[in-house]
Amino acid sequence: MNRVDTLREVFARHRWRLLLAVALLLLTMLAGIGLLGLAGGFLTAAALAGALGAGATFNFFSPSAGIRALTLARIGSRYFEKLVGHDATLRIARDLRVWFFRRALPLAPARLGSSRTGELLARLMTDIGEVDGLMVRALGPLLALAGAMLATVLAAALIHWPAALVLLGLSLLVGIGVPVLAVRHGDAGEAARARHRTDLRTLAYEGLEGAADLTALDARDGWIARVDAAARQVAGSDHRRRARLVAGNVLHSACAGLGLLAMLWLVLPAFEAGALAAPLAATLLFLTVALLEAAAGCGQAWQALQSARVSAARLQAIVEQPPAVADPVQPAALPAQAATVSFEQVVFGWPGEPRRLLDGIDLQLRPGERIAIRGDSGCGKSTLSALLLRLWDPRQGAVRYGGIDLRDVAQDDWHRRIAWLPQGAPVFAGSIADNLRLGDPVAGEERMWAVLEQVRLTGWAWQQGGLSAWLGENGATMSAGQARRLALARALLRDAPLLVLDEPTEGLDVDTANALLTDLAAALGPRSLLMISHGHLPEGVVQREYRLQQGRLALLRP
């Protein structure tokens, strides 16, 4: 695995921004703690000077200048910390999504096919949302707080070393002991929370996608009840999470009260014994108050860290799946010209299942030939096309192109030789040109109009407003037949020597399907065609038809 493709590297790419954000947060904390401590000592000295009468004196200018400087430093550092921190978080959020797509897309459809769409959506949105704020919401505050505690303890040691020991013990207690105690066993809770949120998102997504079917089957109420139950589980897990945080805050407050009493018990005898001046004793008390205030959000930071760790593990569980196929170390070169595709005694069954979907398949597709594979649903037709696309490798036998085993070829090289029209090929939200350029990113307008003419969509495209016409989500402005023709135009625009169609007329009426297939036969030119279909094909569309049954091919029409 390339170093650039690790989750850690996504954060490392922005390490200087993250370090600057942590440094600014540390400066903000130190300025706030120093401001409260200095102001407390200054006010105490001023009050004592006023009580002692006109003859009493105290240093007015140095503390007041320090207070002004710390105030300005706190305002400036807080502003720039928010600016830099949010900038880094947004950049990381962008790069995390790119990283997830880059790692997950090679797993589609073979590996990702086992994951529900709503679950993948939860990974992409919820889990990445938890991980992208890891530094700003969790590690950054914890690191800055550790630095602020250390600086405060050192400052207290310069004033009165026993006070430094009290602050050190208090820092360890409220910074580590209390939060860890509050979030103990929280990994299981965070994992359950993530799982419940995924279930809710999946049910909501699938309910919206299948709203028409649920209505037709009078199953909407039952589905809504399932969504409500999932929502209650999410609410329950969120409630337990808040309860852990509240318990930590209560424990923090109790420790803070005891810590202040301990500091007061320490500085009062020192003041009475003359070992500590009153302003310095007040400074130590106010330093303790400021440190406890800065540590108040420690429990939330620990909880955010826990949640980010669980979400990161969920993301890794998706992208670290082994790919179904792998490129050879030294890929073989494919023939420059169109060549014969051959299946030689191919055997395939899904991993972990003893059943053989394909059992000794022999098939040849020569350059320019058009063949169709027919059969009942579930007989293995789409599996055969998946082997040709090299989404999977056969258990036994080989799929060859020009005599070269596809397992010896780089996947990118092979995929450049294929144009694929899958079952239910989507129309993406965008313009006509945007959808066509998925087949050829550098296609010019003249070529796009030519391929639209091949599939008889020119008149429709002009009526819509030309190539820049907006098609809407899932081709909302198109009929089913128009959407199929546009997807076919996209495949033809690829100009690959081999065209693979998987149920190209699924969901179309007979007249529309026959018209589409007839136009397809005329538009193919010298391309080879492998068509997967369970319906009747008009005369002249293919040259040979096979039937796939019980894992074997039988020739129907030569």
Side-chain angles (χ1 to χ4, degrees), residues 375-397:
D376 298 330
S377 296
C379 69
K381 303 186 304 296
S382 296
T383 303
L384 188 145
S385 67
L387 294 179
L388 178 58
L389 293 164
R390 208 181 166 228
L391 304 179
W392 294 93
D393 286 332
R395 284 188 188 176
Q396 299 174 25

Side-chain angles (χ1 to χ4, degrees), residues 72-336:
L72 292 175
R74 187 172 184 272
I75 293 172
S77 62
R78 186 171 183 80
Y79 172 79
F80 286 106
E81 177 263 322
K82 295 295 183 186
L83 185 67
V84 174
H86 282 80
D87 177 64
T89 299
L90 291 174
R91 290 173 184 270
I92 290 171
R94 174 202 64 193
D95 290 350
L96 277 174
R97 283 159 176 79
V98 173
W99 167 82
F100 186 78
F101 270 107
R102 184 172 59 241
R103 293 288 303 275
L105 283 180
L107 302 174
R111 293 296 185 190
L112 293 188
S114 60
S115 299
R116 296 165 74 178
T117 303
E119 184 175 352
L120 291 175
L121 190 63
R123 296 289 204 280
L124 184 60
M125 298 180 66
T126 306
D127 289 328
I128 288 181
E130 294 286 349
V131 175
D132 63 24
L134 174 64
M135 285 299 300
V136 173
R137 292 193 296 264
L139 289 179
L142 290 175
L143 291 173
L145 181 61
M149 286 178 171
L150 179 60
T152 304
V153 169
L154 292 176
L158 296 175
I159 298 173
H160 190 56
W161 69 264
L165 296 179
V166 173
L167 279 181
L168 178 60
L170 190 59
S171 297
L172 295 175
L173 184 61
V174 300
I176 298 177
V178 170
V180 170
L181 187 64
V183 301
R184 71 190 189 283
H185 309 309
D187 282 348
E190 290 296 330
R193 176 172 173 263
R195 186 173 62 253
H196 293 154
R197 293 171 71 180
T198 297
D199 291 343
L200 176 60
R201 190 180 295 276
T202 301
L203 286 170
Y205 174 82
E206 292 176 351
L208 290 173
E209 285 288 297
D213 291 337
L214 291 173
T215 301
L217 296 171
D218 195 23
R220 291 180 60 181
D221 292 341
W223 193 271
I224 290 172
R226 292 179 62 186
V227 173
D228 285 340
R232 286 193 296 272
Q233 285 187 317
V234 172
S237 60
D238 285 344
H239 176 75
R240 289 187 290 273
R241 188 175 192 256
R242 287 192 298 270
R244 291 195 299 270
L245 186 60
V246 168
N249 290 337
V250 170
L251 192 56
H252 172 88
S253 298
C255 293
L258 293 174
L260 281 173
L261 287 176
M263 184 60 72
L264 188 63
W265 175 81
L266 178 70
V267 299
L268 283 180
F271 166 71
E272 291 176 352
L276 194 61
L280 292 178
T283 297
L284 289 174
L285 280 174
F286 280 99
L287 282 178
T288 305
V289 171
L291 186 61
L292 291 169
E293 182 182 350
C298 193
Q300 193 168 3
W302 277 97
Q303 199 170 68
L305 176 61
Q306 205 168 47
S307 179
R309 287 176 56 246
V310 170
S311 294
R314 284 164 52 84
L315 292 174
Q316 296 281 13
I318 291 291
V319 302
E320 289 188 353
Q321 297 178 87
V325 297
D327 281 342
V329 178
Q330 294 182 334
L334 289 169

Side-chain angles (χ1 to χ4, degrees), residues 377-419:
S377 296
C379 69
K381 303 186 304 296
S382 296
T383 303
L384 188 145
S385 67
L387 294 179
L388 178 58
L389 293 164
R390 208 181 166 228
L391 304 179
W392 294 93
D393 286 332
R395 284 188 188 176
Q396 299 174 25
V399 182
R400 301 182 186 275
Y401 183 74
I404 301 173
D405 194 326
L406 294 186
R407 284 172 288 207
D408 298 329
V409 177
Q411 295 175 70
D412 288 345
D413 290 344
W414 174 234
H415 291 160
R416 277 192 286 269
R417 306 297 181 96
I418 303 177

